[in-house]
Amino acid sequence: MVNLQSEEIKRRVIKCMPWILLYEFFQVFNENVFNLITPNLSQEYGVSPSTVSLIVTLGKLFLGIASIVFSALSDIVSTRKLMLFTCFVFPVVTLIGFFSPYSFSLLITARIMFALTIAIPLALQVIIALKYFDKLTAAKYFGYNTAIFQLASAAGHFFGGYITDYFHWNYIFLFPLLTLLGIPTLMKNLPKDESKKGSFDFIGMLLVTLISTLLITYMTFKMQYPLLLISSLACTAIFVMYTRKNKNSFIKPDLFKIKGIVWSLIVCGLFYGTQVGFGFIFPFIVHKAYGLSVSTIGVFYALTNIAAFIAGINSGRIISKIGSRNIALLGGLFIFSGLAMVAFLVGFSVVFVFVGMALFNIGYALFFSGYLSNYTQLLPKHQHGSGVGVERLVLNIGSSLGGALIAMLYGQPYMMNKIVDISSNPQSAQYSNLALVLMIMIAVATFIFTRVFDKNFNRVE
């Protein structure tokens, strides 16, 4: 059997990584365009902000579920086969999205299909980095991951605004067709791993999907339908009992017995729930409180992403100097500071809001590379696939819940009372309070992180 750590295979995999990261670029690009234009979509389809948030939250939800499915499948099916499946199916899905302006239901369907297919390369990029590279090289690619995220966010905010203003948002679905250019490189260089014997837990997958969908829907519609919550809790009980009896369960109970895993996943959910929650409300802040157009918002938003891209591309160097634990804590400090600036100063100049967003985005560029480096240190080698899959699932479910939570709170009468907002702007109170809620989430998450990962984790060797 070919030695997977050989330099020749490593060089071949390195040639594939830019094309695999390109899928992440288009996933984030697509998502940020929809974050940016949610006020427009609410008017175009005649639906409420909480309903239009399903475009983001359901996309995140199914991305998370598909991530853990394909992470688990990577232990059975060749990563090469999974990747090539995406190469040929993904362009068809993007074309379906192009025709979605005719129906809100079709747009929701297209976003779900988009998430299901693009989840494969997003899950595999972490697994491939852990499988073929040493820890420092893997950490470098985690940093590239965050840099691509920010670059794609910048592109989505910049071009998305202009495309929406001067063409139509459905053209966004055509850009990912560029991934077709990478197929020859991937076919030539991806290692031909052998498929292994094993079974896949489809019942467990369906239960996780049902639990998550019911919970997200319950929160999206402002907790008006308690039957959804009761059904979600009932399905959770069934899933727990089923998992204990099934040796090949979708999510293996042994994973959660590893010290620090559960609390680490809670940190993950809180951080990324905050990210999506703030990303959802930000366009409403600058559009409603300051009256800026979508294209203008996109330009300023893109500048904050470029600053974060620079931080992300250099995160590998920062880790080598201060350690993976410290860079995650530094990221948390930036995020908290950005939210604090919005919470206290949102009623004043819009400049404060964009500076707050810049600090916020830089924080995530730093946090992700440090967090993932620490989290994977907790995992035994034989559980890298399932461990990364669960982390992807929690990331996306947490993101969906964060978006649903902020959408639920948005517009509520009790959010209109000034707490830390020191301005006289009558429009700013609820945005200040929403930022305050997110600050509390980050503070709790950072405290838990320091308890799970002590100074012994501040290394990359």
Side-chain angles (χ1 to χ4, degrees), residues 33 64 81 93 126 129 136 194 263 290 297 305 414 424:
V33 170
K81 291 180 180 179
V93 172
V126 178
L136 186 56
E194 294 182 2
W263 287 110
Y290 298 100
I297 296 169
N305 293 129
Y414 54 78
S424 58

Side-chain angles (χ1 to χ4, degrees), residues 10-80:
K10 181 178 178 180
R11 283 194 293 269
R12 287 167 55 192
V13 172
I14 286 175
K15 292 179 182 179
C16 298
M17 291 304 284
W19 292 105
I20 296 174
L21 288 170
L22 185 65
Y23 284 92
E24 183 194 6
F25 178 91
F26 284 120
Q27 187 271 324
V28 178
F29 177 82
N30 185 283
E31 184 174 289
N32 277 276
V33 170
F34 281 106
N35 273 330
L36 182 68
I37 65 174
T38 44
N40 302 61
L41 293 175
S42 181
Q43 295 177 357
E44 182 174 334
Y45 288 107
V47 295
S48 67
S50 61
T51 301
V52 83
S53 72
L54 288 171
I55 296 170
V56 177
T57 55
L58 287 181
K60 278 284 187 184
L61 170 63
F62 282 92
L63 182 67
I65 293 168
S67 293
I68 191 172
V69 168
F70 292 115
S71 294
L73 280 176
S74 68
D75 292 331
I76 303 171
V77 182
S78 165
T79 53
R80 173 187 171 86

Side-chain angles (χ1 to χ4, degrees), residues 301-362:
Y301 212 157
L303 293 175
T304 71
N305 293 129
I306 291 171
F309 168 75
I310 294 171
I313 207 71
N314 288 290
S315 60
R317 295 180 182 178
I318 299 172
I319 288 176
S320 66
K321 292 181 178 180
I322 69 172
S324 55
R325 179 180 185 267
N326 285 347
I327 194 175
L329 292 176
L330 181 63
L333 178 61
F334 269 86
I335 294 167
F336 186 86
S337 300
L339 290 171
M341 182 167 286
V342 174
F344 286 93
L345 302 175
V346 65
F348 296 98
S349 170
V350 71
V351 173
F352 293 118
V353 177
F354 280 109
V355 171
M357 173 55 79
L359 293 173
F360 185 87
N361 285 336
I362 290 171

Side-chain angles (χ1 to χ4, degrees), residues 141-260:
Y141 275 97
F142 297 156
Y144 290 164
N145 181 294
T146 63
I148 290 296
F149 179 94
Q150 295 298 338
L151 183 64
S153 297
H157 292 138
F158 184 81
F159 293 108
Y162 281 101
I163 290 171
T164 301
D165 282 351
Y166 298 106
F167 298 96
H168 196 267
W169 55 262
N170 66 319
Y171 285 90
I172 301 301
F173 282 103
L174 296 182
F175 287 85
L177 293 176
L178 290 172
T179 56
L180 290 169
L181 299 176
I183 293 178
T185 301
L186 294 172
M187 291 185 69
K188 180 180 179 181
N189 294 291
L190 277 176
K192 296 181 180 180
D193 301 345
E194 294 182 2
S195 298
K196 301 176 183 178
K197 291 183 179 181
S199 59
F200 187 74
D201 180 18
F202 286 100
I203 295 176
M205 179 196 71
L206 291 174
L207 283 171
V208 170
T209 304
L210 188 58
I211 292 166
S212 305
T213 304
L214 289 169
L215 186 58
I216 296 296
T217 307
Y218 170 70
M219 294 192 67
T220 299
F221 289 100
K222 301 182 184 295
M223 299 190 291
Q224 294 178 359
Y225 306 102
L227 182 62
L228 293 172
L229 178 61
I230 295 170
S231 300
S232 177
L233 294 174
C235 290
T236 301
I238 295 170
F239 176 73
V240 171
M241 292 186 290
Y242 169 80
T243 299
R244 288 179 176 178
K245 295 181 179 180
N246 187 359
K247 294 181 180 179
N248 296 314
S249 58
F250 180 60
I251 298 177
K252 294 176 174 58
D254 289 346
L255 177 67
F256 300 102
K257 295 178 182 178
I258 300 172
K259 184 179 179 181

Side-chain angles (χ1 to χ4, degrees), residues 355-375:
V355 171
M357 173 55 79
L359 293 173
F360 185 87
N361 285 336
I362 290 171
Y364 273 96
L366 299 174
F367 171 79
F368 179 80
S369 57
Y371 168 78
L372 198 53
S373 296
N374 283 312
Y375 173 74

Side-chain angles (χ1 to χ4, degrees), residues 20 65 87 92 260 400:
I20 296 174
I65 293 168
C87 291
V92 177
S400 299

